[in-house]
Amino acid sequence: MVEEKAFKSGFVSIIGRPNVGKSTLLNALLGEKIAIISDKPQTTRNRILGIVNKPGAQIVFMDTPGIHKPMHKMNEFMVQTALRTYNEVDIILMLAEATTPPGSGDQFIIQTLSKVKTPVFLLINKIDIINKEALLPLIQQFDKLYHFSEIIPISALKKDLHGLLDAILKRLPQGPQYFPDDQLTDQPERFVVAEIIREKIFELTKEEIPYSSAVVIEEMKEDPEITHVHAVVIVERDSQKGILIGRGGSMLKQIGTHARQDAERLLGTKIFLKLYVKVKKGWREDERMLKDVGILTERD
Ligand code: GDP
Ligand code: MG
């Protein structure tokens, strides 16, 4: 009998200065556009998930907001989102630009990696617009700054990824298939919308409310003109529900409006967002619930 090779899976975080090409890389890896790209830094506000299936393996990529020194509160929040993923993932892909030597922005990121045990690959991106001779000195400069597990020159734009997927597969641990392969396009959008709602709760409410809240997308239906989204915010106590809804529903309305505007911009479609609040005592101890709000969004 032939023994079946164990399934491999894992999470891979894509980090780097704003504008280095993180979202472009994610789209290149997926072969379809799920992350928005722009020449304006900080377009990506949230972690965006992308799933790549290979025979016997599944890789879940996370695009993160660009990491930079926090200047004000909003930035600080975005930087924290990126840093938090370091220890939750199996591999970190750090992007840098081939067009410039490592600068203070790259060095800031490298500093944040100093205590990280997760393997870090350095991807030197945009090699389509440099001279070949410039590459080796650049690799040497980066090599002095950190013990990267791999250094791979790529062009995300031209989809020139030079063995990146194989290098990732080699280091992927054994693990389950997290996502069914037929939900690839739908799942990231749900995740993005849930994350946007969560972000608005963080921005608009105080104290323990954001930490006690989870967002589940119950339904997401795309019509030609508009996407209908039913989302539930789950909290732990009645008092929290009251605060989230606010006087005459004002808080929930504000969260919904802000979230809808961002989601429309991010997904490039009109959205009808219906938002509810439900109390589920102890949801943070409930494994099923954690699955629901973490990655899997299908419900019982
Ligand atoms: P992010 O902020 O790191 O997510 O960067 P984006 O993916 O939004 O890309 C920022 C800009 O760099 C966009 O104008 C991209 O088209 C461009 N870009 C990304 N990758 C490459 C590449 O490999 N080569 C070139 N020439 N441009 C790239
Ligand atoms: Mg981006």
Side-chain angles (χ1 to χ4, degrees), residues 57-77:
Q58 182 171 70
I59 317 167
V60 183
F61 290 96
M62 289 185 290
D63 183 11
T64 57
I67 300 175
H68 46 85
K69 283 186 189 146
M71 293 304 183
H72 50 81
K73 197 93 182 89
M74 176 64 190
N75 284 350
E76 210 175 289
F77 173 72

Side-chain angles (χ1 to χ4, degrees), residues 135-147:
L135 196 56
L136 191 61
L138 195 61
I139 290 175
Q140 286 165 341
Q141 276 177 297
F142 271 109
D143 196 34
K144 285 196 196 110
L145 298 175
Y146 191 78
H147 52 276

Side-chain angles (χ1 to χ4, degrees), residues 244-260:
L244 258 181
I245 290 174
R247 192 164 297 198
S250 58
M251 176 56 85
L252 195 63
K253 201 170 165 194
Q254 210 184 342
I255 292 168
T257 305
H258 286 219
R260 179 180 54 74

Side-chain angles (χ1 to χ4, degrees), residues 38-50:
S38 85
D39 51 10
K40 249 195 270 122
Q42 294 167 46
T43 315
T44 311
R45 288 251 171 95
N46 301 274
R47 290 194 282 172
I48 294 182
L49 222 64

Side-chain angles (χ1 to χ4, degrees), residues 16-25 36-44 63-64 66 95 97 125-129 154-158:
R17 283 190 294 114
N19 241 12
V20 287
K22 297 179 295 297
S23 300
T24 308
L25 174 65
I36 53 160
I37 296 166
S38 85
D39 51 10
K40 249 195 270 122
Q42 294 167 46
T43 315
T44 311
D63 183 11
T64 57
L95 260 77
E97 291 221 19
N125 189 29
K126 310 195 185 181
I127 54 163
D128 54 298
I129 45 171
I154 63 162
S155 167
L157 193 67
K158 305 267 186 240

Side-chain angles (χ1 to χ4, degrees), residues 5-6 139 174 212 216 224 260:
K5 255 171 113 187
I139 290 175
Q174 281 184 19
S212 311
V216 176
R260 179 180 54 74

Side-chain angles (χ1 to χ4, degrees), residues 1-284:
M1 241 173 68
V2 184
E3 205 175 299
E4 243 189 81
K5 255 171 113 187
F7 197 85
K8 287 173 139 192
S9 66
F11 290 80
V12 177
S13 174
I14 304 173
I15 66 168
R17 283 190 294 114
N19 241 12
V20 287
K22 297 179 295 297
S23 300
T24 308
L25 174 65
L26 182 62
N27 292 331
L29 286 161
L30 295 175
E32 65 179 292
K33 189 175 170 187
I34 65 153
I36 53 160
I37 296 166
S38 85
D39 51 10
K40 249 195 270 122
Q42 294 167 46
T43 315
T44 311
R45 288 251 171 95
N46 301 274
R47 290 194 282 172
I48 294 182
L49 222 64
I51 304 136
V52 171
N53 290 299
K54 292 279 157 192
Q58 182 171 70
I59 317 167
V60 183
F61 290 96
M62 289 185 290
D63 183 11
T64 57
I67 300 175
H68 46 85
K69 283 186 189 146
M71 293 304 183
H72 50 81
K73 197 93 182 89
M74 176 64 190
N75 284 350
E76 210 175 289
F77 173 72
M78 285 161 56
V79 172
Q80 278 168 11
T81 310
L83 298 186
R84 205 169 46 216
T85 64
Y86 283 177
N87 295 313
E88 296 171 357
V89 298
D90 301 290
I91 297 166
I92 296 167
L93 305 179
M94 176 181 162
L95 260 77
E97 291 221 19
T99 52
T100 50
S104 62
D106 300 305
Q107 275 164 20
F108 173 72
I109 295 174
I110 288 170
Q111 271 172 37
T112 68
L113 289 166
S114 64
K115 293 206 179 82
V116 171
K117 297 222 171 67
T118 310
V120 183
F121 294 6
L122 177 72
L123 308 182
I124 301 182
N125 189 29
K126 310 195 185 181
I127 54 163
D128 54 298
I129 45 171
I130 60 151
N131 290 325
K132 275 213 183 85
E133 304 83 70
L135 196 56
L136 191 61
L138 195 61
I139 290 175
Q140 286 165 341
Q141 276 177 297
F142 271 109
D143 196 34
K144 285 196 196 110
L145 298 175
Y146 191 78
H147 52 276
F148 294 106
S149 307
E150 307 262 355
I151 297 182
I152 308 174
I154 63 162
S155 167
L157 193 67
K158 305 267 186 240
K159 299 189 169 42
D160 252 339
L161 303 182
H162 294 124
L164 172 61
L165 270 179
D166 286 338
I168 292 170
L169 288 172
K170 230 182 262 167
R171 285 176 189 263
L172 222 54
Q174 281 184 19
Q177 179 171 349
Y178 293 104
F179 296 92
D181 9 56
D182 61 338
Q183 283 190 22
L184 295 191
T185 53
D186 173 58
Q187 202 77 29
E189 296 196 343
R190 286 175 171 238
F191 181 80
V192 170
V193 174
E195 282 293 286
I196 290 172
I197 297 168
R198 227 164 56 80
E199 182 193 63
K200 299 309 162 197
I201 296 170
F202 262 89
E203 280 171 16
L204 295 167
T205 68
K206 288 195 280 257
E207 284 151 27
E208 94 283 6
I209 304 285
Y211 304 98
S212 311
S213 309
V215 178
V216 176
I217 306 295
E218 293 208 307
E219 199 188 323
M220 191 150 159
K221 198 167 122 264
E222 279 180 51
D223 286 339
E225 297 289 312
I226 197 163
T227 299
H228 296 264
V229 181
H230 289 193
V232 185
V233 184
I234 290 154
V235 290
E236 299 205 296
R237 288 198 300 276
D238 288 325
S239 60
Q240 294 166 342
K241 179 176 173 176
I243 294 168
L244 258 181
I245 290 174
R247 192 164 297 198
S250 58
M251 176 56 85
L252 195 63
K253 201 170 165 194
Q254 210 184 342
I255 292 168
T257 305
H258 286 219
R260 179 180 54 74
Q261 285 166 351
D262 269 21
E264 284 182 340
R265 197 167 42 75
L266 207 70
L267 302 181
T269 165
K270 271 206 150 320
I271 288 174
F272 180 75
L273 175 63
K274 246 187 172 172
L275 204 55
Y276 311 85
V277 184
K278 262 190 210 164
V279 179
K280 237 181 191 171
K281 289 190 179 69
W283 67 260
R284 281 185 288 195

